Amino acid sequence: MSSMENTDQISSTRRRLSREERLRQLLDVAWRVVRTEGTEALTLGYLAEQAGVTKPVVYDHFNTRPGLLAMLYREYDTRQTALMDKALEDSEPTLAGRARVIASSYIECVFLQGREIPGVSAALAGSPELEKIKRDYETAFTQKCRTALAPFAGTGTIASAGLWAMLGAAEALSYAAVTGDITAGQAEEELCQTILSMVARSGNS
């Protein structure tokens, strides 16, 4: 096949993808780059090269590198929220059941995304705009946990300090599990015990 024919064939393949399909392809390639080469390697130009498209195609979808990172994090956030919502809906209406669901769904979602999300999360601290996206997600997550756990606290609510401590533990434990320092089961069990302890302290305050 001649070079011209090959180029025509590639161009034809590109045209067959809808905008939504192209976006999905670019996000999949972006996650792969982060997983195999790290967040630092993920530039719009490199993404275009790895996806086999021109730079204008990538810029049309993301505009900037922060825009790409923000979309990756939002996708992770959406996946984690859906996983946790479904798990809470199906869980036993007990403190142990809710604590287990929060712990398992958090660890499971990080594992599904693998090593990529810690790098993307760290990159979000690079600008106020990206930091706000991460902070908004964290606030929504802690509020969801407060709503799920408050009925089991003696005071009827969970202190904000405890919720933020729980989130810090969740991030540290999930990262340790992803890197192989501990197992996913150990991470889940420790996070579950952290949640139970947090609720117990709220009941005594």
Side-chain angles (χ1 to χ4, degrees), residues 45-112:
Y46 190 59
L47 176 58
E49 177 185 327
Q50 293 297 301
V53 299
T54 61
K55 288 183 181 179
V57 171
V58 174
Y59 278 87
D60 180 52
H61 283 280
F62 306 113
N63 293 316
T64 63
R65 182 174 185 270
L68 169 58
L69 290 171
M71 191 169 292
L72 290 175
Y73 194 82
R74 286 195 183 101
E75 183 171 70
Y76 166 75
D77 178 15
T78 299
R79 184 180 299 115
Q80 188 177 59
T81 297
L83 182 66
M84 185 171 168
D85 285 348
K86 181 65 167 61
L88 284 172
E89 182 182 334
D90 296 340
S91 69
E92 297 179 3
T94 63
L95 173 56
R98 295 285 169 80
R100 181 65 62 184
V101 159
I102 292 171
S104 62
S105 60
Y106 192 100
I107 301 299
E108 180 182 350
C109 195
V110 174
F111 250 81
L112 287 174

Side-chain angles (χ1 to χ4, degrees), residues 87 150 155 180:
T155 58

Side-chain angles (χ1 to χ4, degrees), residues 34-191:
V34 173
R35 180 173 62 253
T36 58
E37 303 180 57
T39 310
E40 298 78 9
L42 185 61
T43 65
L44 297 191
Y46 190 59
L47 176 58
E49 177 185 327
Q50 293 297 301
V53 299
T54 61
K55 288 183 181 179
V57 171
V58 174
Y59 278 87
D60 180 52
H61 283 280
F62 306 113
N63 293 316
T64 63
R65 182 174 185 270
L68 169 58
L69 290 171
M71 191 169 292
L72 290 175
Y73 194 82
R74 286 195 183 101
E75 183 171 70
Y76 166 75
D77 178 15
T78 299
R79 184 180 299 115
Q80 188 177 59
T81 297
L83 182 66
M84 185 171 168
D85 285 348
K86 181 65 167 61
L88 284 172
E89 182 182 334
D90 296 340
S91 69
E92 297 179 3
T94 63
L95 173 56
R98 295 285 169 80
R100 181 65 62 184
V101 159
I102 292 171
S104 62
S105 60
Y106 192 100
I107 301 299
E108 180 182 350
C109 195
V110 174
F111 250 81
L112 287 174
Q113 201 59 66
R115 292 173 179 264
E116 305 97 296
I117 196 58
V120 172
S121 180
L124 293 176
S127 76
E129 178 186 1
L130 294 180
E131 177 62 25
K132 183 179 184 304
I133 291 172
K134 183 172 185 289
R135 194 63 167 182
D136 287 346
Y137 154 71
E138 291 173 339
T139 300
F141 176 79
T142 55
Q143 184 55 48
K144 189 184 297 290
C145 292
R146 189 199 304 273
T147 300
L149 298 170
F152 307 101
T155 58
T157 188
I158 306 292
S160 294
L163 290 166
W164 287 106
M166 176 203 68
L167 178 59
E171 291 180 340
L173 288 166
S174 59
Y175 183 70
V178 167
T179 56
D181 293 320
I182 60 177
T183 67
Q186 288 171 328
E188 181 182 324
E189 182 59 32
E190 187 62 31
L191 182 53

